[in-house]
Amino acid sequence: MKRAFAILRHNAPAIIVLVGGIALWEAVIRGLAIRAFILPAPSSIARALGENWTTGYQILPAAQATLQEAGGGLIAGALLGLAVAFAVARYPSARDIVLPVGIAVNAIPIVAFAPLANQWFGSQSVYSKMAISAALVFFPIMINVLRGLTSVNASSLELMRSYAGSEMAVLTKVRIPNALPFFLTGLKIGTTLSLIGAVVGEYFGGLNVALGRVVVESASTLSFEVTWAAIAVVSAVGIVMYLAVLAAERVLIPWHPSVRGERVA
Amino acid sequence: MTGERVTDVPVVSLAGVDKDFALPGGATMTALTGIDLDLRRGEFVSLIGPSGCGKSTLLRLIGDLTQPSAGVVTVNGKPAPQARLDRDYGMVFQAPVLFDWRTVEENVRLPLELTGQERTARDARVAEMLELVELPDFARHYPYQLSGGMQQRVAIARALTFSPAILLMDEPFGALDEMTRERMNSEVLRIWEQTGITVVFVTHSIPEAVFLSSRVVVMSARPGRITRIVEVDLPRPRGVETRESRRYFEMVTQVREALRSGEGSGTSDDSLASIERAEAEGLTG
Ligand SMILES: Nc1ncnc2c1ncn2[C@@H]1O[C@H](COP(=O)(O)OP(=O)(O)OP(=O)(O)O)[C@@H](O)[C@H]1O
Ligand SMILES: [Mg+2]
């Protein structure tokens, strides 16, 4: 109870800004009589959300499908990023090839490949969306983990050498723990990117019940309240994924400045 | 010679050791030259000398963390690299070098994990070591939750966990206040007396060197070399009375004078050192 109160107090400014912002939004829409196709009022977005939750546009199942695609893409991209980072860290000669190529590939707007991915994996398939997500997620994870594996204190390495630690011991006891906060940072960036990949993939066709489809179809029938409702749900899914990584950080790296700093009330 | 529990077999021996560092641009920098030093088992030897005279380098040579350009380093009767692989020494670096992601007990446990010790024996040993450095209440703390002096004590506990024959300590108390430092000195002496370990101790503090050591090795810079070895014949066990005794002040003065003459400013009473210095200047200048 005391703890819940502390959390509430800690987050009070953010909550006030959020609630106040929504109230202001509602007031402005009503006061200036702005029409729905420009910007609907929060109240009508909420109503649209309720009406289309499981019927109509079926936002709940749509969100589940999108979450599945984004989650799958995130996991696949993270695994790929980890694998490449470990390989490059292990064989430094590979760095001169992998990094320039990786940076060049990262400069390509990967979402532009969404229609092609639908072509390759089948537009109805969840895998085409996962592929785009994974491609977006891969780079920040790879770069972050690689930095974590290689930016180890020289003195830590010297300490391990003084104990005649094997290369394997250096990897498991120094490099991997050092890389963990970097990986989690990559993962936080990855949550947002994985959702972008999934939703944009859905714009170009896919499962009928998916948030990207809801956005496209509701907009084409001028049901903008539903469009906004879908966008709100995408944001909520993104926030939940982000919070999940934050929670993982608290458990996995309680010693890290970013985590222990948060406890200062 | 001082009659403390020592044997005549050298536990560390450097014979004709030089250490040159290659500098960018092809030049070389002579960090150490003509180092001959034998340490007897159970000795407590301090290295003292001006900044940059090669004390850390000497310690790192013994630990096989760097290799000599000439000469032979023997540790525990074997070549230094073999002694490192056999984990014959524990090193305490100037900075504590604790792993942020490990709690105090996990940090102390690290060497035992590397030697593959069985778990229950390992945990008992870690508890014993934390007892020794008076930190049992902080076993589950992370390094960031400790003061600098406490971190250094954790590093000492870690170096001692696997009972090395030799303890190499590089200015372990350099960053501590005078009172904490004196307390840490007493702790290190207690550990040394309890374990019978051979200690090589780098310091910038003359009183600290005298208080702790059986012998003080005085070095001078450019190029780094040994100019004098001062035998410290203060009785043991040493404590508060030692620091207030006349003999202690005499020894401190003796080491200070040895240091000053090594600088080359005053007249040297050590003819060998001045000859060596003249030779060295001729070679490098
Ligand atoms: N890796 C290195 N490359 C080049 N020069 C080095 C290297 N390590 C040490 N040196 C040089 O060797 C000399 C001795 O260094 P060392 O660290 O042993 O000095 P020190 O006596 O420990 O000094 P301090 O008391 O300041 O710690 C210095 O002049 C330093 O510049
Ligand atoms: Mg040094």
Side-chain angles (χ1 to χ4, degrees):
Chain A
M1 185 60 215
K2 213 169 176 177
R3 192 180 144 75
F5 185 71
I7 290 172
L8 197 65
R9 203 176 55 178
H10 181 72
N11 295 315
I15 294 169
I16 290 168
V17 168
L18 188 67
V19 172
I22 291 173
L24 187 69
W25 176 359
E26 182 83 33
V28 166
I29 300 291
R30 290 186 183 211
L32 303 180
I34 291 171
R35 279 177 299 169
F37 69 86
I38 296 176
L39 183 63
S43 57
S44 45
I45 294 172
R47 197 175 327 112
L49 187 60
E51 285 165 1
N52 293 285
W53 190 238
T54 48
T55 56
Y57 283 98
Q58 298 183 298
I59 287 176
L60 176 64
Q64 287 167 339
T66 299
L67 179 62
Q68 188 198 348
E69 292 163 358
L74 183 62
I75 291 169
L79 290 179
L80 204 63
L82 282 168
V84 172
F86 273 87
V88 172
R90 174 69 184 80
Y91 303 102
S93 53
R95 198 169 314 176
D96 300 338
I97 305 163
V98 172
L99 282 193
V101 172
I103 289 165
V105 167
N106 190 50
I108 301 169
I110 288 164
V111 290
F113 283 87
L116 293 177
N118 282 340
Q119 202 60 41
W120 294 331
F121 296 92
S123 68
Q124 293 298 305
S125 153
V126 292
Y127 297 115
S128 60
K129 320 304 180 286
M130 284 184 189
I132 297 161
S133 276
L136 285 177
V137 167
F138 165 77
F139 193 75
I141 299 255
M142 190 272 279
I143 279 295
N144 271 286
V145 173
L146 181 60
R147 185 169 303 150
L149 289 172
T150 50
S151 69
V152 170
N153 271 335
S155 52
S156 300
L157 296 178
E158 201 160 62
L159 179 81
M160 291 300 283
R161 182 175 161 83
S162 81
Y163 291 130
S166 64
E167 208 166 309
M168 196 51 166
V170 171
L171 180 68
T172 58
K173 294 182 194 300
V174 184
R175 294 189 185 279
I176 290 176
N178 192 65
L180 190 53
F182 290 82
F183 170 65
L184 290 164
T185 298
L187 210 53
K188 274 191 275 191
I189 302 167
T191 55
T192 317
L193 291 176
S194 71
L195 268 179
I196 293 174
V199 171
V200 172
E202 289 159 2
Y203 284 175
F204 297 97
L207 307 170
N208 286 325
V209 186
L211 287 178
R213 295 309 308 157
V214 175
V215 168
V216 170
E217 282 159 21
S218 63
S220 70
T221 59
L222 308 183
S223 316
F224 293 111
E225 294 87 350
V226 178
T227 313
W228 278 89
I231 291 170
V233 172
V234 174
S235 311
V237 171
I239 290 169
V240 168
M241 289 171 79
Y242 192 87
L243 289 179
V245 180
L246 279 190
E249 278 191 336
R250 288 185 166 243
V251 176
L252 294 174
I253 53 168
W255 48 270
H256 196 260
S258 67
V259 174
R260 69 194 205 222
E262 281 175 11
R263 294 192 191 277
V264 181
Chain B
M1 275 190 270
T2 41
E4 291 169 333
R5 43 170 181 89
V6 294
T7 64
D8 44 2
V9 190
V11 64
V12 173
S13 158
L14 297 101
V17 168
D18 294 348
K19 178 64 189 179
D20 300 327
F21 286 108
L23 296 179
T28 61
M29 188 276 180
T30 303
L32 287 170
T33 187
I35 300 295
D36 290 303
L37 184 64
D38 281 343
L39 306 185
R40 293 161 298 208
R41 192 167 296 278
E43 249 192 324
F44 197 123
V45 170
S46 289
L47 305 180
I48 196 164
S51 180
C53 73
K55 302 178 298 293
S56 299
T57 304
L58 183 49
L59 222 53
R60 291 157 49 79
L61 283 167
I62 297 171
D64 185 42
L65 300 177
T66 188
Q67 287 70 45
S69 312
V72 181
V73 182
T74 312
V75 178
N76 242 2
K78 20 188 168 179
Q82 189 57 45
R84 176 176 67 80
L85 292 176
D86 292 349
R87 302 183 173 105
D88 285 345
Y89 73 87
M91 175 82 102
V92 180
F93 295 87
Q94 181 166 3
V97 199
L98 302 177
F99 292 166
D100 294 339
W101 49 86
R102 285 179 168 244
T103 60
V104 165
E105 62 183 357
E106 287 165 350
N107 267 291
V108 174
R109 198 170 69 197
L110 176 72
L112 299 183
E113 291 172 13
L114 294 170
T115 54
Q117 263 219 6
E118 178 261 333
R119 191 170 233 109
T120 49
R122 189 167 86 183
D123 292 350
R125 180 70 184 161
V126 169
E128 190 186 330
M129 284 301 108
L130 289 178
E131 209 64 63
L132 193 68
V133 296
E134 291 171 3
L135 285 173
D137 297 341
F138 292 87
R140 299 243 150 75
H141 285 57
Y142 283 98
Y144 78 89
Q145 295 167 314
L146 306 184
S147 75
M150 291 158 86
Q151 293 183 8
Q152 201 54 260
R153 279 186 280 164
V154 175
I156 292 169
R158 180 183 56 195
L160 288 169
T161 27
F162 62 107
S163 319
I166 302 154
L167 185 58
L168 308 174
M169 303 174 92
D170 195 351
E171 295 184 47
F173 311 135
L176 301 187
D177 70 87
E178 198 60 27
M179 292 310 292
T180 314
R181 190 182 187 128
E182 287 189 5
R183 207 161 46 73
M184 293 297 293
N185 282 344
S186 303
E187 277 181 39
V188 165
L189 269 193
R190 184 167 55 79
I191 291 165
W192 174 71
E193 273 152 13
Q194 278 176 12
T195 55
I197 200 170
T198 307
V199 180
V200 187
F201 189 96
V202 173
T203 179
H204 278 292
S205 160
I206 300 169
E208 184 173 66
V210 169
F211 179 74
L212 294 172
S213 310
S214 329
R215 289 193 292 166
V216 178
V217 175
V218 179
M219 300 176 64
S220 67
R222 266 174 299 274
R225 63 205 185 279
I226 296 173
T227 48
R228 178 91 85 80
I229 298 179
V230 178
E231 298 266 352
V232 181
D233 53 9
L234 296 167
R236 301 212 186 250
R238 297 177 187 168
V240 189
E241 328 75 54
T242 310
R243 290 187 196 278
E244 288 159 4
S245 73
R246 250 192 63 185
R247 186 69 192 137
Y248 173 71
F249 287 111
E250 286 169 11
M251 299 296 324
V252 167
T253 307
Q254 202 175 323
V255 172
R256 179 169 293 127
E257 278 170 359
L259 264 171
R260 195 177 306 138
S261 67
E263 273 171 28
S265 50
T267 50
S268 173
D269 59 347
D270 192 335
S271 56
L272 183 62
S274 47
I275 290 168
E276 277 177 3
R277 191 163 58 245
E279 278 176 357
E281 276 161 8
L283 285 175
T284 54

